Amino acid sequence: MTAADSAQADRVRGLIGAMAPDQAAPTDDDQRLVEDLGFDSLRLMELTVVLERAFDLPRYQPSDLVGVRRVGEVIALVEGGVAEAAGERRRMHARHSAQPCAPEPSLGEALR
């Protein structure tokens, strides 16, 4: 499945379109955020926060965002973040599942 085909991609496009200063512009993958959709630096920061919250992502560092200029690049960034967050949750779950638990007392031991 490509970025263009996923439900996440559609959701990202929808959020970008809803926040774009130029509401009439299409949110195709090759559209540039600043030049084509009219985003300025403040609106880009707001978009970042909206995407982090909408997809339950950790905060992006400025270095993560360097070079992200087009809708398709935003989609790739979000999908990568979602996959990374899911992998981290699986690792945390496995780590907690692998820890031995103290045995619970039996009913007989509890009544003594």
Side-chain angles (χ1 to χ4, degrees), residues 13-103:
R13 280 190 208 94
L15 290 169
I16 292 171
M19 294 190 66
D22 183 357
Q23 294 283 311
T27 54
D28 298 328
D29 287 1
D30 62 339
Q31 292 295 101
R32 297 169 299 178
L33 298 171
V34 175
E35 295 87 348
D36 300 329
L37 300 176
F39 280 87
D40 60 20
S41 60
L42 178 59
R43 199 67 172 164
L44 287 171
M45 288 189 335
E46 291 172 342
L47 176 63
T48 301
V49 172
V50 165
L51 292 170
E52 289 167 351
R53 290 181 180 167
F55 291 94
D56 195 26
L57 299 169
R59 290 190 70 194
Y60 284 110
Q61 298 301 312
S63 61
D64 298 332
L65 305 173
V66 172
V68 177
R69 292 184 173 85
R70 297 179 183 272
V71 172
E73 294 166 346
V74 175
I75 292 168
L77 180 73
V78 169
E79 288 185 336
V82 168
E84 187 175 312
E88 181 60 29
R89 283 192 290 275
R90 280 192 297 276
R91 285 189 294 280
M92 292 296 292
H93 178 71
R95 194 173 316 146
H96 290 296
S97 300
Q99 293 177 352
C101 297

